[in-house]
Amino acid sequence: MDAAEFRRRGKEMVDYVVYPDVEPGYLRSLIPEEAPLEAESYEDVVKDIERVIMPGVTHWHSPYFYAYFPTAHSFPAMLADMLCGAIGCIGFSWAASPACTELETVMLDWLGKMLKLPEDFLAGTEGSGGGVIQGTASEATLIALLAARSKIIKLIQTDHPDRSETDIISKLVAYSSDQAHSSVERAGLIGGVRMKKIPTDSKFSVRGAALQKVLEEDRAAGLIPFFFCATLGTTPSCAFDCITELGPICNAEKIWMHIDAAYAGSAFICPEFRPLLNGIEFADSFNFNPHKCCSLIHVISHLISLQHWQIPLGRRFRSLKMWFVFRMYGLKGLQAYIRKHVGLAKEFESLVKADQRFEISADVVLGLVCFRLKGSNELNEILLKRINSARKIHLVPCQLAGKFVLRFAVCARTTESRHVREAWSHISHLASELLQELRH
Amino acid sequence: MDAAEFRRRGKEMVDYVVYPDVEPGYLRSLIPEEAPLEAESYEDVVKDIERVIMPGVTHWHSPYFYAYFPTAHSFPAMLADMLCGAIGCIGFSWAASPACTELETVMLDWLGKMLKLPEDFLAGTEGSGGGVIQGTASEATLIALLAARSKIIKLIQTDHPDRSETDIISKLVAYSSDQAHSSVERAGLIGGVRMKKIPTDSKFSVRGAALQKVLEEDRAAGLIPFFFCATLGTTPSCAFDCITELGPICNAEKIWMHIDAAYAGSAFICPEFRPLLNGIEFADSFNFNPHKCCSLIHVISHLISLQHWQIPLGRRFRSLKMWFVFRMYGLKGLQAYIRKHVGLAKEFESLVKADQRFEISADVVLGLVCFRLKGSNELNEILLKRINSARKIHLVPCQLAGKFVLRFAVCARTTESRHVREAWSHISHLASELLQELRH
């Protein structure tokens, strides 16, 4: 498959329905029950891609895909992936593949500079900070929590050498927003520590006073607060925890502040969105998933050995993707990409606002619009069901303050203004049908 | 890069030295300190691959690479990776990409059947078992340990509802071979539980009596044994824990037995090596890294929700690789691949045995030969240093019963008998030089 074919196939793919029309278990009956004894030809395998795989694929890169959040996809990233596969090294130590370790360190510094992270998040030539690519944001959060756990245990044992690790762990408590991603709660489960959710304000944002209150209660109850995971750009509504308030509290209370900016982080490369990251100077670690690089990344400081910056020991040569993407887009190209998506979301927002039957459910800051029909949750549930059953576009819902809300996330690289307008006219049409039915 | 170019580049790569001649930090000065503002051309990027990356790559797929263990590499796997990149979905739930979830389930069943795993390790159409692809073997071990931890907590709380989770965790104890991979110890650290090493016998194998003894001591001390990680094919010497003895003990004592067969597992698709897996019927979970698929996989039963079978929430369409590889090689092709590697190791073993200056340090069962010069550790350390400094071939050492031992692992797809003989004559020549110098 060469570049020309990639392009051609990419265009074909746009013609697929965005959301597949299959039932659970559809695939098993389409292929043999066992691996073949004799080798098959490449042609046979390729034929089956169309027959077996494509009917069951949700097309994340269709311009009609508005569900979840965007995932990475770009021509340079795919080329880099091929090179990564061809080199096929496992960079679990410097010697196992020096270029793999070194390019990653430098690329994470490039990224840190693009985001204007504080100096101590960079490796530089003799820095103590730096970044490392993680498989997913879930792993980044887990690693941050484990690092914080290890740090607090050492700190306590310095003063109380007879206190056992398991005894200390049994008193630890970690915190996150009540809007935080489920992976944060899971990090607590894996690490075997208590995890509490801090209530958010009317903008779905954790404020300093809310954290302070819980900290005081927990200290009074003999617990040891040690970790706060702030979210910049929550999954339901892209809300931002107030880290300029939360950071000083965490620093004063010796609580590790981790910032999970999985979705929103990419936008901080644009000067107009960088203020959303103000407060980073109070953080101990930070992670986000760069758009268009496919890999998910995390930048962390204060950890001692690079070897312990991730769960798996083996690692692929993933920084090649960043190198290819950064160079073949350039910072300006990446900024333009972000701005286009935010612009499309703003366009969708104004279409919704112009329709009196609908309401906007949360501030539109980046590429996500949370909206709903004015009225009951049931009404909105039916609308969403009809939208997804029609298979023309694909959305997923969220709950905001007890309300069932539709999420419109600008995802694909190929999404243009005409797709957004088409999507809105489709939603609006289905809403009209639904409301008319209900009137009868 | 099309198929023809892949082939051409692959041949070129053989001409690179296997182990790079660079100093730590070599790369940073070769590239700019920041990402470019404007986009660069693909040609510029490609030129830099030769200038910046290749001089620092350890060539894992060179026929002169005999270090660590083999990693996956094959033309079908690379093609599948391209398709995976092109589809670019994130299969974190069935709906997020049905084909991604379903192909993975069926491929893990194909693999289970190739290995003749017991029925309850398969998903089938209504099985309770099944498999899932993990990022690495480290993650597989961690997941097994966490599943076991969760199971024992539930079990104890059923009888003692007032006993807290943190209190139970503080009494738990997990076990592995003293030859187990460092990732097993790390899984214990992450899970916040005690991890003890069971001493091995003269074949570097854990026996039933050794485990039984420690279990009795620990129960007497009020601890709760809950997890044993058996290794089939240890990293230092490819030794096999005696799971036919260990399995019944674990079952009787209600200890979760996980089998880590990261390296050796692939060989079990050959009937002549399948007896090495006897005892699997006592296991709760099993993982290994299939050769030539690049992804690392783990098959586990008794877990409840597929969603919790891995640390990350997001997942790529990794089963495509297995599908391509299984079909384009066929079971016979994969068996031939394994047999060729074992044959090459046996060939190397006989070359070593024919030289009275050397000794074999552990049974050669699969593709790994542990050997050393008869004499001191220092002597062997110098020999290895000279081998790696010459950069013609690349080996890593291990420690076996206090002895410094050289590991010769047949790794590359392209390794043939002539490469093995060439490697041996090179080693033998360097040994002669060294011994001669010492005589003077």
Side-chain angles (χ1 to χ4, degrees):
Chain A
M1 198 181 278
D2 61 12
E5 194 181 347
F6 248 144
R7 257 195 300 274
R8 189 163 52 79
R9 297 285 184 193
K11 282 181 185 154
E12 276 175 27
M13 205 171 281
V14 172
D15 299 330
Y16 285 108
V17 290
V18 60
Y19 187 65
D21 186 12
V22 294
E23 292 299 314
Y26 88 96
L27 186 142
R28 191 176 283 269
S29 61
L30 297 179
I31 63 174
E33 286 185 11
E34 291 188 42
L37 202 58
E38 308 284 349
E40 295 179 65
S41 73
Y42 182 58
E43 287 66 32
D44 286 342
V45 177
V46 167
K47 251 184 277 164
D48 279 353
I49 296 171
E50 292 296 315
R51 187 180 64 88
V52 176
I53 303 299
M54 284 314 179
V57 166
T58 303
H59 291 283
W60 283 62
H61 304 288
S62 156
Y64 300 107
F65 181 89
Y66 300 104
Y68 315 110
F69 271 137
T71 181
H73 210 249
S74 72
F75 202 45
M78 279 188 261
L79 288 167
D81 231 8
M82 286 173 61
L83 181 64
C84 171
I87 293 177
C89 63
I90 307 287
F92 57 77
S93 67
W94 182 85
S97 212
C100 176
T101 303
E102 298 205 6
L103 187 65
E104 186 164 332
T105 308
V106 179
M107 284 306 104
L108 272 283
D109 273 6
W110 276 22
L111 195 58
K113 289 173 187 172
M114 284 159 75
L115 294 166
K116 306 207 181 309
L117 291 183
E119 199 65 32
D120 58 354
F121 279 92
L122 305 182
T125 43
E126 29 205 288
S128 63
V132 56
I133 303 177
Q134 299 288 328
T136 59
S138 307
E139 286 156 86
T141 309
L142 174 59
I143 282 292
L145 181 133
L146 294 173
R149 192 185 73 178
S150 154
K151 192 181 169 191
I152 188 82
I153 290 170
K154 272 190 200 135
L155 195 72
I156 292 174
Q157 286 183 332
T158 307
D159 292 337
H160 309 278
D162 52 331
R163 239 182 125 169
S164 78
E165 191 168 315
T166 49
D167 169 54
I168 297 169
I169 289 178
S170 73
K171 299 284 176 218
L172 294 180
V173 53
Y175 308 92
S176 74
S177 160
D178 61 16
Q179 300 290 303
H181 191 263
S182 62
S183 60
V184 180
E185 191 174 352
R186 221 152 69 113
L189 274 172
I190 293 172
V193 297
R194 266 179 211 80
M195 176 68 84
K196 294 195 176 179
K197 290 183 176 170
I198 308 294
T200 49
D201 69 6
S202 62
K203 301 274 191 193
F204 310 108
S205 163
V206 175
R207 305 298 300 270
L211 177 64
Q212 190 78 62
K213 180 167 171 286
V214 179
L215 289 180
E216 280 163 20
E217 288 164 9
D218 285 348
R219 293 239 189 250
L223 297 177
I224 309 169
F226 79 108
F227 181 75
F228 174 66
C229 176
T231 309
L232 296 183
T234 60
T235 306
S237 67
C238 195
F240 291 77
D241 290 342
C242 186
I243 55 172
T244 50
E245 288 177 8
L246 297 158
I249 297 172
C250 290
N251 288 184
E253 301 259 359
K254 293 198 170 54
I255 291 169
W256 182 295
M257 182 164 85
H258 173 67
I259 296 177
D260 175 11
Y263 163 65
S266 302
F268 306 152
I269 63 169
C270 300
E272 68 273 31
F273 299 122
R274 177 58 179 74
L276 293 166
L277 187 58
N278 287 349
I280 178 74
E281 61 275 17
F282 303 112
D284 295 276
S285 53
F286 168 71
N287 88 276
F288 83 104
N289 303 352
H291 277 60
K292 311 187 66 47
C293 284
C294 196
S295 318
L296 305 146
I297 285 170
H298 130 131
V299 182
I300 195 165
S301 70
H302 309 313
L303 297 187
I304 292 145
S305 160
L306 189 70
Q307 210 189 341
H308 298 300
W309 283 21
Q310 56 171 20
I311 305 296
L313 203 66
R315 50 203 353 258
R316 300 175 73 219
F317 201 155
R318 295 178 291 191
S319 56
L320 284 173
K321 262 191 200 170
M322 299 174 66
W323 199 40
F324 274 53
V325 170
F326 292 165
R327 294 183 65 183
M328 290 172 70
Y329 277 85
L331 178 56
K332 280 189 185 172
L334 294 169
Q335 289 171 334
Y337 183 88
I338 298 286
R339 285 170 183 147
K340 179 185 155 196
H341 272 199
V342 178
L344 290 172
K346 293 281 182 192
E347 184 175 357
F348 187 82
E349 182 190 22
S350 38
L351 291 167
V352 177
K353 279 185 167 168
D355 188 328
Q356 294 303 315
R357 302 170 300 172
F358 285 88
E359 62 192 9
I360 295 289
S361 311
D363 289 353
V364 176
V365 182
L366 300 174
L368 176 69
V369 183
C370 290
F371 70 108
R372 65 196 303 277
L373 274 171
K374 290 171 184 164
S376 71
N377 284 353
E378 292 67 29
L379 181 70
N380 283 285
E381 281 172 38
I382 299 171
L383 176 62
L384 180 67
K385 206 168 172 185
R386 292 195 178 181
I387 291 170
N388 284 331
S389 306
R391 294 178 199 287
K392 187 175 164 57
I393 62 171
H394 187 44
L395 305 182
V396 292
C398 69
Q399 291 281 343
L400 288 177
K403 285 190 172 165
F404 186 91
V405 170
L406 281 65
R407 289 170 80 264
F408 183 92
V410 179
C411 287
R413 182 175 48 85
T414 49
T415 307
E416 301 290 344
S417 171
R418 67 183 173 87
H419 300 113
V420 168
R421 281 178 280 122
E422 222 178 296
W424 170 249
S425 102
H426 179 60
I427 294 168
S428 161
H429 174 73
L430 291 174
S432 299
E433 269 186 7
L434 172 61
L435 294 170
Q436 196 160 3
E437 279 173 41
L438 290 176
R439 272 195 294 273
H440 292 298
Chain B
M1 199 180 275
D2 60 12
E5 194 181 347
F6 247 146
R7 257 193 302 274
R8 188 163 53 80
R9 296 286 184 193
K11 281 179 184 155
E12 275 175 26
M13 206 173 281
V14 173
D15 299 329
Y16 284 109
V17 291
V18 59
Y19 187 64
D21 187 13
V22 294
E23 292 299 315
Y26 87 96
L27 185 140
R28 191 176 283 269
S29 60
L30 297 178
I31 63 174
E33 285 185 13
E34 291 188 42
L37 202 57
E38 308 284 348
E40 296 179 64
S41 74
Y42 181 59
E43 288 64 36
D44 286 341
V45 177
V46 167
K47 250 184 278 165
D48 279 352
I49 295 171
E50 292 296 315
R51 186 180 64 89
V52 177
I53 303 299
M54 285 314 181
V57 166
T58 302
H59 291 283
W60 283 62
H61 305 287
S62 156
Y64 300 107
F65 181 89
Y66 300 103
Y68 315 109
F69 271 137
T71 182
H73 211 248
S74 73
F75 203 44
M78 278 188 260
L79 288 168
D81 231 7
M82 285 173 62
L83 181 64
C84 170
I87 293 177
C89 64
I90 306 287
F92 56 77
S93 68
W94 182 85
S97 213
C100 175
T101 303
E102 298 206 6
L103 187 66
E104 185 163 332
T105 308
V106 179
M107 284 306 102
L108 273 284
D109 272 7
W110 277 23
L111 195 58
K113 289 174 187 171
M114 285 160 74
L115 295 166
K116 304 207 184 308
L117 291 184
E119 199 65 31
D120 59 354
F121 279 92
L122 304 182
T125 43
E126 31 205 287
S128 63
V132 56
I133 304 177
Q134 298 287 330
T136 59
S138 307
E139 286 155 87
T141 309
L142 174 60
I143 282 291
L145 181 132
L146 294 173
R149 193 186 72 178
S150 154
K151 192 182 169 191
I152 189 81
I153 290 171
K154 272 189 202 138
L155 195 73
I156 293 173
Q157 285 184 333
T158 307
D159 292 337
H160 308 277
D162 52 330
R163 238 178 127 172
S164 77
E165 191 170 316
T166 49
D167 169 55
I168 297 169
I169 290 179
S170 73
K171 298 284 177 217
L172 295 180
V173 52
Y175 308 92
S176 73
S177 158
D178 61 16
Q179 300 291 304
H181 191 264
S182 63
S183 59
V184 180
E185 192 175 351
R186 223 153 68 115
L189 274 173
I190 293 172
V193 298
R194 267 180 209 79
M195 176 68 84
K196 292 194 177 179
K197 290 183 177 172
I198 308 293
T200 48
D201 69 6
S202 63
K203 300 274 189 193
F204 311 107
S205 164
V206 174
R207 304 300 299 270
L211 177 64
Q212 190 78 62
K213 181 166 171 288
V214 179
L215 289 181
E216 280 163 19
E217 289 165 7
D218 284 349
R219 292 237 189 251
L223 296 177
I224 309 170
F226 80 108
F227 181 76
F228 174 66
C229 176
T231 308
L232 296 184
T234 60
T235 306
S237 67
C238 196
F240 291 77
D241 289 343
C242 187
I243 55 173
T244 51
E245 289 177 8
L246 297 159
I249 297 171
C250 289
N251 288 183
E253 301 258 0
K254 291 199 170 54
I255 291 168
W256 181 297
M257 182 164 85
H258 173 69
I259 296 178
D260 174 11
Y263 164 64
S266 302
F268 306 152
I269 63 168
C270 300
E272 68 273 31
F273 299 122
R274 177 56 178 78
L276 293 167
L277 188 58
N278 287 349
I280 177 75
E281 60 276 18
F282 302 111
D284 295 276
S285 53
F286 168 71
N287 87 277
F288 82 105
N289 303 351
H291 276 60
K292 311 189 63 47
C293 284
C294 194
S295 315
L296 305 145
I297 284 168
H298 129 130
V299 182
I300 194 165
S301 69
H302 309 313
L303 296 187
I304 293 146
S305 160
L306 188 73
Q307 210 191 339
H308 298 300
W309 284 21
Q310 57 171 18
I311 305 295
L313 202 65
R315 51 203 353 258
R316 300 176 72 217
F317 201 156
R318 295 177 291 191
S319 56
L320 284 173
K321 260 190 199 170
M322 298 175 67
W323 198 42
F324 274 52
V325 169
F326 292 165
R327 294 183 65 183
M328 289 173 71
Y329 277 84
L331 179 56
K332 280 189 183 171
L334 294 170
Q335 289 171 334
Y337 183 89
I338 298 286
R339 286 170 183 145
K340 180 185 155 194
H341 272 201
V342 178
L344 291 172
K346 293 283 181 192
E347 184 176 357
F348 187 82
E349 181 189 22
S350 39
L351 292 167
V352 177
K353 278 186 166 166
D355 188 327
Q356 294 305 314
R357 303 170 300 174
F358 284 87
E359 62 192 8
I360 295 290
S361 311
D363 289 353
V364 177
V365 182
L366 300 174
L368 176 69
V369 183
C370 289
F371 70 107
R372 66 195 302 278
L373 274 171
K374 290 170 184 165
S376 71
N377 284 350
E378 291 67 28
L379 181 69
N380 282 284
E381 280 171 40
I382 298 170
L383 176 61
L384 180 68
K385 204 167 173 186
R386 291 193 179 185
I387 291 170
N388 284 331
S389 305
R391 296 180 199 283
K392 185 174 165 55
I393 62 171
H394 187 43
L395 306 183
V396 292
C398 70
Q399 290 281 341
L400 288 177
K403 285 188 172 165
F404 185 92
V405 169
L406 280 64
R407 287 171 82 264
F408 183 92
V410 180
C411 287
R413 183 174 49 84
T414 49
T415 307
E416 302 290 344
S417 172
R418 68 183 172 88
H419 300 114
V420 169
R421 280 178 282 123
E422 221 178 297
W424 171 248
S425 102
H426 179 60
I427 293 169
S428 160
H429 174 75
L430 291 175
S432 299
E433 270 186 6
L434 173 60
L435 294 170
Q436 196 160 1
E437 277 173 42
L438 291 175
R439 271 194 296 273
H440 292 297

